[in-house]
Amino acid sequence: MLSSPPSSRLLVTTDSLPSIRWSYLIVGLAISFALWISFVHPPDGGYFTTDEQFIADSGVFMLFGATPRCLDWPGIPMVLVFYLLALGQCLINLVGAAASGSLSAVGVFEVVDKTAYTYLLDRVPLIVAGRIVQILLVGGLLTWCVRIVHRAGTSLLPPVLRLPLVLILCIQYDVLTSTPVIRPEGLSYALFAVASLLILFGEFPARSWRQPATVLLLIALLISNRLLFVFTFPFLLGGLLFRMGWSWLRVLGVLGTFLLFVLLTMPFIWTDSFVLLKAFAGGMLMKVSGTQTSFFNWDYISSMVLPAPTVWQLALLPVGAVAFWRWYPNKGMAALLVGNLALLTLSIFHSSTIYITHTLPLRTMGLFLLAYAGYGLFQVTRRRWVLYGLAGLLALSHVAESILLEADLLRPSTFWQAADFLKTLPANTPVLIEADFDNVTPRSKQALLRELTAIQDQTLTQLKYNRQFGGAIATTLPVALRTSLSEDERLAILQRQIQAQYTPPNRYADLFYFSPATGFVNYFVEQNAAFADFVKGRYTYLITHEQLPYPRVASFDQPSHGGAYYVYKTPAQSATP
């Protein structure tokens, strides 16, 4: 049994501490807020993001046998959720068709087609449904965290630290606003929290594999949801072995059981090995291989870290590291956590490309050090209000960050206003539009057929591969490599085939998407050439962020997190819209 010296703790009776009900209330408030901002009062477009679309598309088109697009995250649990939601919608539509007496054998497959077509016209309803499922899953896992914390033995977790730890865990920016409602990070956060709490504060009876198996399954689900968490394995797997008791037989047992769970939770390892390897290894290489003028990525630190209301908590991490080393009873575990966090911090902030989601493992691992920073101050001051006050300040900082983000997101979206404008244009009107609107706005049948041809054009695809490999590919790629690079094309072909088959001939504008960097999407047109064609009258309208000296017919430029959009009419035509 792990223990710590009796003199290391202040005597605090359990009866004088807040009950577990307060912890459940904190979880309930956090999840209720997430549900409210995602479902009851969402921003324009309902938090629609490209990343959410990738996960939802992957789930829906598993019905057609398509390889998921998001295997570098990989978001597999949520892909399966969207698959089940799409399957459920198909079943509802089949029951409706059967009740009307118009269902044939071929009609069954047509119902599946039309269900996917309805989704492609408006992705938001299904995405919101999947988002609610994810928030409820996060809420269930956080409730599990509460049970672990309040059942932890006093030798592992001081009772006075229970409520502050739950507060710090649940009243996080990652729970309140950001990650439970977009991408797979909210579920990753909660899975990591449960696995870490079990490792740090759970009970591991001798000769029992029940608890280790539970932890290993959670870790497998964690990396199946976000591969980035493989970089926390020194703490997760090493900590598990510390708690079980080190022996080579246990090492082999842990690794074998973990491998089995990974193969079960990541089935695409079996079916799409090269795609998974390309997505993860290629993505990591791209993010760390850029050039920088200093060791750390100060552009990211100055733009994303320092302005945040929670930046002050970084000063608590060294205090928490010292306190964790002093008062957690297993020094090996303490070294694993602190060392893993330090190495991961150095590697992530050295990367040339960093997104806020990349720092999620840092934030989740740092939670325990923040809690122990408060506990260290409690030991020094012998005042419980110091511990509770610090936890409250941390919570308020995250609430402030969440409110600032939510206030920005709740402003009217110029993006969706511009998308609505497109619906007012006459059918088949040629429109040149920012690539941001790809997969958001419905397009004409002729646009879909044109894009389908471009996606299947092997010459354009070969040029794209040449660009991706920096011009190093002079000949046709090997089939195995081309297969691993083509999940985007296979999915896009399926989508365009469905849309082209069911879109009426005289419906929607004829959209052409432009980008300054072509060669990544076959049907994107090069911006400079496209603008020149717009001036000549090739396109009737242009929708862009840029302010240009052309006749402006609409402006969507009020304050918005998406920036302004302007609608211009070609100077080659003098007629008004």
Side-chain angles (χ1 to χ4, degrees):
M1 174 67 70
L2 297 172
S3 62
S4 58
S7 60
S8 69
R9 288 185 171 82
L10 301 176
L11 295 178
V12 178
T13 63
T14 305
D15 293 340
S16 67
L17 297 174
S19 71
I20 193 174
R21 294 178 181 176
W22 286 97
S23 294
Y24 285 137
L25 178 62
I26 291 170
V27 173
L29 290 174
I31 297 304
S32 296
F33 180 70
L35 286 169
W36 181 75
I37 63 174
S38 183
F39 182 66
V40 179
H41 188 53
D44 291 346
Y47 278 126
F48 187 95
T49 69
T50 301
D51 301 317
E52 249 184 330
Q53 173 216 309
F54 285 170
I55 295 175
D57 282 10
S58 295
V60 171
F61 284 90
M62 278 180 63
L63 291 168
F64 297 81
T67 299
R69 292 190 63 185
C70 53
L71 292 186
D72 52 338
W73 300 333
I76 289 172
M78 286 309 300
V79 168
L80 297 178
V81 166
F82 281 109
Y83 168 76
L84 293 175
L85 289 172
L87 184 61
Q89 186 62 57
C90 286
L91 293 175
I92 292 172
N93 294 342
L94 284 170
V95 170
S100 66
S102 60
L103 186 63
S104 63
V106 175
V108 170
F109 296 96
E110 188 175 18
V111 167
V112 177
D113 272 5
K114 289 184 176 179
T115 301
Y117 177 68
T118 301
Y119 164 75
L120 292 172
L121 285 179
D122 186 4
R123 287 172 166 87
V124 172
L126 188 70
I127 287 177
V128 170
R131 187 181 300 149
I132 292 170
V133 172
Q134 179 167 241
I135 293 174
L136 294 177
L137 288 173
V138 171
L141 289 168
L142 291 178
T143 301
W144 190 358
C145 290
V146 169
R147 295 171 65 87
I148 296 169
V149 167
H150 281 268
R151 291 181 177 181
T154 57
S155 61
L156 292 172
L157 180 65
V160 72
L161 196 50
R162 290 173 181 170
L163 183 63
L165 180 56
V166 170
L167 184 66
I168 292 171
L169 181 71
C170 296
I171 309 299
Q172 283 282 315
Y173 164 81
D174 299 294
V175 172
L176 284 178
T177 299
S178 178
T179 51
V181 291
I182 57 173
R183 299 170 57 98
E185 274 74 19
L187 193 54
S188 301
Y189 174 93
L191 286 166
F192 182 86
V194 174
S196 301
L197 288 170
L198 286 173
I199 291 170
L200 289 170
F201 308 121
E203 296 295 333
F204 286 81
R207 297 190 180 90
S208 173
W209 274 84
R210 180 177 179 180
Q211 188 83 307
T214 300
V215 173
L216 290 171
L217 179 58
L218 287 168
I219 297 173
L221 287 169
L222 172 65
I223 64 166
S224 76
N225 201 59
R226 196 63 163 92
L227 276 174
L228 186 64
F229 277 87
V230 298
F231 298 110
T232 64
F233 274 13
F235 164 63
L236 291 175
L237 296 181
L240 178 62
L241 287 169
F242 264 114
R243 292 301 314 276
M244 294 176 65
W246 179 273
S247 75
W248 285 111
L249 184 60
R250 288 196 177 101
V251 170
L252 293 176
V254 164
L255 294 179
T257 304
F258 178 65
L259 178 61
L260 174 63
F261 286 152
V262 167
L263 294 176
L264 291 174
T265 57
M266 300 183 68
F268 302 107
I269 287 180
W270 299 85
T271 61
D272 299 277
S273 305
F274 288 131
V275 175
L276 192 65
L277 178 63
K278 177 267 300 184
F280 182 60
M284 289 295 104
L285 182 63
M286 182 179 66
K287 290 175 176 63
V288 302
S289 61
T291 57
Q292 293 180 196
T293 57
S294 61
F295 183 83
F296 289 110
N297 189 332
W298 287 107
D299 288 339
Y300 178 83
I301 293 173
S302 60
S303 62
M304 296 298 295
V305 178
L306 297 181
T310 53
V311 65
W312 67 276
Q313 69 185 21
L314 298 179
L316 296 176
L317 293 178
V319 178
V322 173
F324 192 69
W325 176 268
R326 169 67 179 84
W327 282 290
Y328 188 78
N330 189 311
K331 303 305 180 189
M333 287 282 295
L336 279 176
L337 176 61
V338 176
N340 197 165
L341 181 60
L343 290 175
L344 191 55
T345 301
L346 291 175
S347 62
I348 286 180
F349 284 106
H350 176 62
S351 299
S352 58
T353 302
I354 309 176
Y355 301 109
I356 191 170
T357 53
H358 298 165
T359 63
L360 181 65
L362 301 180
R363 298 196 300 273
T364 51
M365 294 179 76
L367 294 176
F368 304 108
L369 300 189
L370 293 177
Y372 267 85
Y375 185 67
L377 295 176
F378 166 70
Q379 289 284 351
V380 170
T381 62
R382 299 180 178 271
R383 295 290 186 271
R384 196 191 311 176
W385 65 265
V386 174
L387 169 60
Y388 282 55
L390 181 62
L393 287 175
L394 287 168
L396 288 175
S397 295
H398 283 277
V399 169
E401 189 166 4
S402 299
I403 290 175
L404 289 174
L405 175 63
E406 183 63 15
D408 181 56
L409 291 174
L410 283 174
R411 292 187 296 183
S413 171
T414 55
F415 178 85
W416 288 99
Q417 290 171 354
D420 289 338
F421 172 83
L422 281 171
K423 299 176 183 178
T424 67
L425 297 178
N428 299 319
T429 302
V431 180
L432 185 64
I433 189 169
E434 295 267 4
D436 300 348
F437 292 87
D438 188 25
N439 293 326
V440 173
T441 50
R443 57 267 259 171
S444 66
K445 188 180 186 75
Q446 64 191 44
L448 294 166
L449 292 173
R450 182 177 60 246
E451 292 175 3
L452 182 60
T453 300
I455 295 168
Q456 295 174 306
D457 189 325
Q458 291 303 307
T459 301
L460 293 175
T461 302
Q462 184 67 33
L463 291 173
K464 180 172 70 173
Y465 293 156
N466 289 340
R467 181 185 179 92
Q468 290 174 337
F469 285 92
I473 304 299
T475 59
T476 302
L477 289 175
V479 173
L481 180 56
R482 189 164 64 246
T483 301
S484 72
L485 296 172
S486 61
E487 75 275 12
D488 285 358
E489 284 80 6
R490 293 199 298 272
L491 178 59
I493 288 171
L494 275 173
Q495 292 177 337
R496 297 307 181 275
Q497 287 174 333
I498 290 172
Q499 290 171 300
Q501 182 163 331
Y502 295 101
T503 297
N506 294 309
R507 186 80 179 272
Y508 307 122
D510 186 18
L511 304 184
F512 295 79
Y513 298 93
F514 70 85
S515 172
T518 57
F520 292 107
V521 178
N522 287 12
Y523 54 85
F524 283 2
V525 294
E526 196 275 325
Q527 178 172 323
N528 291 334
F531 277 26
D533 287 340
F534 168 72
V535 173
K536 297 174 184 177
R538 170 68 179 83
Y539 312 103
T540 304
Y541 294 103
L542 166 63
I543 300 179
T544 179
H545 281 296
E546 299 184 39
Q547 297 193 47
L548 300 172
Y550 306 130
R552 185 182 299 178
V553 297
S555 299
F556 308 105
D557 54 0
Q558 70 269 42
S560 170
H561 60 275
Y565 288 95
Y566 304 100
V567 181
Y568 302 98
K569 191 167 186 180
T570 176
Q573 298 180 17
S574 59
T576 57

